[in-house]
Amino acid sequence: MRAGRNQATAGVQSPQPVASTPCSDTQRLLHDTDVENAHGALSPAPVETYIDSHGHVTSSVPSADVSPGNPKSPLFGCVFNLTNTVLGAGTLSLPFAFAATGWLLGLFILFGVGGLSYTSLRLLQRTVTCQGKRHATFYHLALAAGGTRLALIVDGICFFYLFAAMSAYQVLILDAMDQTIPASWGLHQWLLSFFFSTCILLPLSLRRSFAALKYFSILAVMMVLYVVSLTAAHAMMEASSPATHVLPPTIKGAFEALPIFAFAFSSQIQFVPIQWELVERTERRVTMIAASAITICASIYLCMASSGYHAFGSAVKG
């Protein structure tokens, strides 16, 4: 143990690769990493890294890192922020996806994609930790992997992906407004679009961190649960349900439904900044964020898909 303490003390001055450090019991090592101060400059600050008897590495950001210039979010806030990024308009398309794939293949693909998404989040967590720069983003990871050119390509892909997602959400919301707001009010769709973009989307988009959006995320998840509850109640009140299929009715339809499942758990872009904002960030707590969010979303998806498919059968439209 004395040798372990000496090695930890020496690590402050000359950092060594912690992953290759052999140890029989838990040790704590300190190494320097880049941290943004209040002026946006990078300065070194210690990060506590733990290595257990199995050789697993886990890091903990010091509690002194919590400051107004570096927003932090509690565990429940990170879970709801990630859950809100996963849930989307695709939730309404899952009954159609089950109608195209059948019960058996639909359940297999749904939980399979959920498991793959959880694995990708865990890999991202380990990659960001090994990258060594606090508050690293996709840009930093691409920069370390392939230089400036790859970083710019990844940044462009993230921009177009998020822009397309926001455009799709806006179209859906405007269609809903067009059906609920009486025509006698004289509100045209372009006016609704301008109001929605400037008064709702723009203020939320200008927030510097996800921590400031945790209560909006809770409200958004509650709204999704409300829609799912209505669908489930309608399915239970049906006297006779239409015919459903265990296997895919057609191979073509099954392939057409694959993109719905593929994007159902998409949250990798937002996961990187969300996990950095966690208070008392450790590997175990970050894993709890990913596992909790994927589990909540999989449960909501299962309820929505099974209720919608049971209520409408093959007549459900995507």
Side-chain angles (χ1 to χ4, degrees), residues 5 19 22 31 42-44 54 111-112 138 164 183 195 207 210 232 255 271 302 309 318:
R5 295 192 186 96
H31 62 86
L42 294 178
S43 58
H54 302 288
F111 289 108
F138 259 80
F195 173 81
R207 307 299 297 179
F210 281 93
F255 277 101
F271 175 72
L302 179 61
Y309 188 32

Side-chain angles (χ1 to χ4, degrees), residues 119-254:
T119 303
S120 68
L121 296 181
R122 293 280 287 126
L123 291 175
L124 272 176
Q125 172 195 348
R126 292 176 177 268
T127 303
V128 170
T129 302
C130 294
Q131 203 271 341
K133 180 176 293 186
R134 193 178 301 181
H135 307 304
T137 63
F138 259 80
Y139 179 85
H140 294 118
L141 297 180
L143 188 65
T148 305
R149 180 175 299 179
L150 179 61
L152 292 176
I153 293 175
V154 171
D155 240 16
I157 293 174
C158 293
F159 171 79
F160 285 111
Y161 167 76
L162 296 175
F163 179 81
M166 291 299 298
S167 300
Y169 291 145
Q170 189 172 7
V171 170
L172 290 173
I173 293 174
L174 291 177
D175 288 342
M177 288 183 177
D178 197 34
Q179 297 176 9
T180 55
I181 297 179
S184 59
W185 290 13
L187 296 177
H188 298 285
Q189 199 172 48
W190 68 267
L191 183 60
L192 294 175
S193 176
F194 177 79
F195 173 81
F196 181 74
S197 300
T198 56
C199 298
I200 299 178
L201 287 182
L202 183 61
L204 293 177
S205 301
L206 292 178
R207 307 299 297 179
R208 297 291 300 273
S209 68
F210 281 93
L213 301 176
K214 55 181 178 290
Y215 297 112
F216 291 98
S217 295
I218 294 175
L219 178 62
V221 174
M222 294 299 105
M223 290 181 176
V224 174
L225 288 175
Y226 173 72
V227 175
V228 174
S229 301
L230 291 179
T231 306
H234 177 77
M236 288 186 293
M237 289 187 297
E238 286 291 324
S240 58
S241 58
T244 57
H245 302 276
V246 177
L247 298 177
T250 62
I251 301 299
K252 178 183 178 181

